[in-house]
mmCIF file of all heavy atoms in Angstrom:
data_model
loop_
_atom_site.group_PDB
_atom_site.id
_atom_site.type_symbol
_atom_site.label_atom_id
_atom_site.label_comp_id
_atom_site.label_asym_id
_atom_site.label_seq_id
_atom_site.Cartn_x
_atom_site.Cartn_y
_atom_site.Cartn_z
ATOM 1 N N SER A 68 -7.612 13.315 11.600
ATOM 2 C CA SER A 68 -8.175 12.217 12.278
ATOM 3 C C SER A 68 -8.624 11.065 11.293
ATOM 4 O O SER A 68 -8.598 9.894 11.539
ATOM 5 C CB SER A 68 -9.418 12.609 13.068
ATOM 6 O OG SER A 68 -10.425 13.187 12.332
ATOM 7 N N SER A 69 -8.986 11.558 10.038
ATOM 8 C CA SER A 69 -9.350 10.623 8.972
ATOM 9 C C SER A 69 -8.246 10.398 8.033
ATOM 10 O O SER A 69 -8.422 9.502 7.093
ATOM 11 C CB SER A 69 -10.572 11.146 8.194
ATOM 12 O OG SER A 69 -11.727 11.308 9.077
ATOM 13 N N LYS A 70 -7.182 11.093 8.215
ATOM 14 C CA LYS A 70 -5.965 10.977 7.267
ATOM 15 C C LYS A 70 -6.471 11.249 5.829
ATOM 16 O O LYS A 70 -6.246 10.466 4.879
ATOM 17 C CB LYS A 70 -5.311 9.635 7.373
ATOM 18 C CG LYS A 70 -4.698 9.371 8.713
ATOM 19 C CD LYS A 70 -3.799 8.118 8.680
ATOM 20 C CE LYS A 70 -3.141 7.847 10.074
ATOM 21 N NZ LYS A 70 -4.106 7.476 11.076
ATOM 22 N N TYR A 71 -7.014 12.455 5.686
ATOM 23 C CA TYR A 71 -7.720 12.756 4.393
ATOM 24 C C TYR A 71 -7.497 14.291 4.154
ATOM 25 O O TYR A 71 -7.730 15.041 5.026
ATOM 26 C CB TYR A 71 -9.187 12.453 4.517
ATOM 27 C CG TYR A 71 -10.064 12.530 3.380
ATOM 28 C CD1 TYR A 71 -10.213 11.401 2.558
ATOM 29 C CD2 TYR A 71 -10.761 13.674 3.050
ATOM 30 C CE1 TYR A 71 -11.012 11.501 1.405
ATOM 31 C CE2 TYR A 71 -11.526 13.756 1.918
ATOM 32 C CZ TYR A 71 -11.674 12.596 1.115
ATOM 33 O OH TYR A 71 -12.489 12.701 0.060
ATOM 34 N N ILE A 72 -7.065 14.598 3.005
ATOM 35 C CA ILE A 72 -6.930 15.990 2.611
ATOM 36 C C ILE A 72 -7.713 16.235 1.290
ATOM 37 O O ILE A 72 -7.825 15.379 0.441
ATOM 38 C CB ILE A 72 -5.514 16.489 2.453
ATOM 39 C CG1 ILE A 72 -4.776 15.903 1.289
ATOM 40 C CG2 ILE A 72 -4.746 16.152 3.794
ATOM 41 C CD1 ILE A 72 -3.458 16.580 0.997
ATOM 42 N N SER A 73 -8.141 17.438 1.105
ATOM 43 C CA SER A 73 -8.928 17.933 -0.057
ATOM 44 C C SER A 73 -8.478 19.224 -0.596
ATOM 45 O O SER A 73 -8.093 20.092 0.191
ATOM 46 C CB SER A 73 -10.495 17.956 0.275
ATOM 47 O OG SER A 73 -10.910 16.681 0.746
ATOM 48 N N LEU A 74 -8.661 19.400 -1.885
ATOM 49 C CA LEU A 74 -8.554 20.675 -2.525
ATOM 50 C C LEU A 74 -9.872 20.994 -3.264
ATOM 51 O O LEU A 74 -10.225 20.127 -4.101
ATOM 52 C CB LEU A 74 -7.387 20.718 -3.485
ATOM 53 C CG LEU A 74 -7.165 22.069 -4.269
ATOM 54 C CD1 LEU A 74 -6.668 23.157 -3.263
ATOM 55 C CD2 LEU A 74 -6.182 21.923 -5.362
ATOM 56 N N PHE A 75 -10.446 22.129 -2.983
ATOM 57 C CA PHE A 75 -11.713 22.502 -3.696
ATOM 58 C C PHE A 75 -11.371 23.780 -4.590
ATOM 59 O O PHE A 75 -10.752 24.596 -4.191
ATOM 60 C CB PHE A 75 -12.787 22.920 -2.719
ATOM 61 C CG PHE A 75 -13.242 21.766 -1.825
ATOM 62 C CD1 PHE A 75 -12.668 21.567 -0.525
ATOM 63 C CD2 PHE A 75 -14.144 20.829 -2.272
ATOM 64 C CE1 PHE A 75 -13.071 20.578 0.340
ATOM 65 C CE2 PHE A 75 -14.589 19.836 -1.431
ATOM 66 C CZ PHE A 75 -14.043 19.623 -0.223
ATOM 67 N N ILE A 76 -11.888 23.611 -5.799
ATOM 68 C CA ILE A 76 -11.680 24.721 -6.701
ATOM 69 C C ILE A 76 -13.137 25.211 -7.118
ATOM 70 O O ILE A 76 -13.980 24.493 -7.605
ATOM 71 C CB ILE A 76 -11.014 24.312 -7.998
ATOM 72 C CG1 ILE A 76 -9.644 23.628 -7.681
ATOM 73 C CG2 ILE A 76 -10.752 25.542 -8.951
ATOM 74 C CD1 ILE A 76 -8.902 23.010 -8.920
ATOM 75 N N ARG A 77 -13.450 26.513 -6.695
ATOM 76 C CA ARG A 77 -14.715 27.010 -7.045
ATOM 77 C C ARG A 77 -14.643 27.720 -8.421
ATOM 78 O O ARG A 77 -13.593 28.227 -8.818
ATOM 79 C CB ARG A 77 -15.111 28.071 -6.009
ATOM 80 C CG ARG A 77 -15.447 27.457 -4.625
ATOM 81 C CD ARG A 77 -15.930 28.513 -3.708
ATOM 82 N NE ARG A 77 -14.825 29.550 -3.415
ATOM 83 C CZ ARG A 77 -13.854 29.424 -2.612
ATOM 84 N NH1 ARG A 77 -13.760 28.218 -1.943
ATOM 85 N NH2 ARG A 77 -12.981 30.338 -2.476
ATOM 86 N N ASP A 78 -15.805 27.794 -9.054
ATOM 87 C CA ASP A 78 -15.919 28.537 -10.375
ATOM 88 C C ASP A 78 -14.696 28.094 -11.287
ATOM 89 O O ASP A 78 -13.878 29.002 -11.652
ATOM 90 C CB ASP A 78 -15.872 30.060 -10.103
ATOM 91 C CG ASP A 78 -16.119 30.827 -11.349
ATOM 92 O OD1 ASP A 78 -16.813 30.301 -12.326
ATOM 93 O OD2 ASP A 78 -15.703 32.027 -11.460
#
Side-chain angles (χ1 to χ4, degrees):
Chain A
S68 62
S69 301
K70 296 189 179 67
Y71 189 88
I72 70 170
S73 300
L74 178 71
F75 297 96
I76 306 174
R77 290 183 299 279
D78 187 25

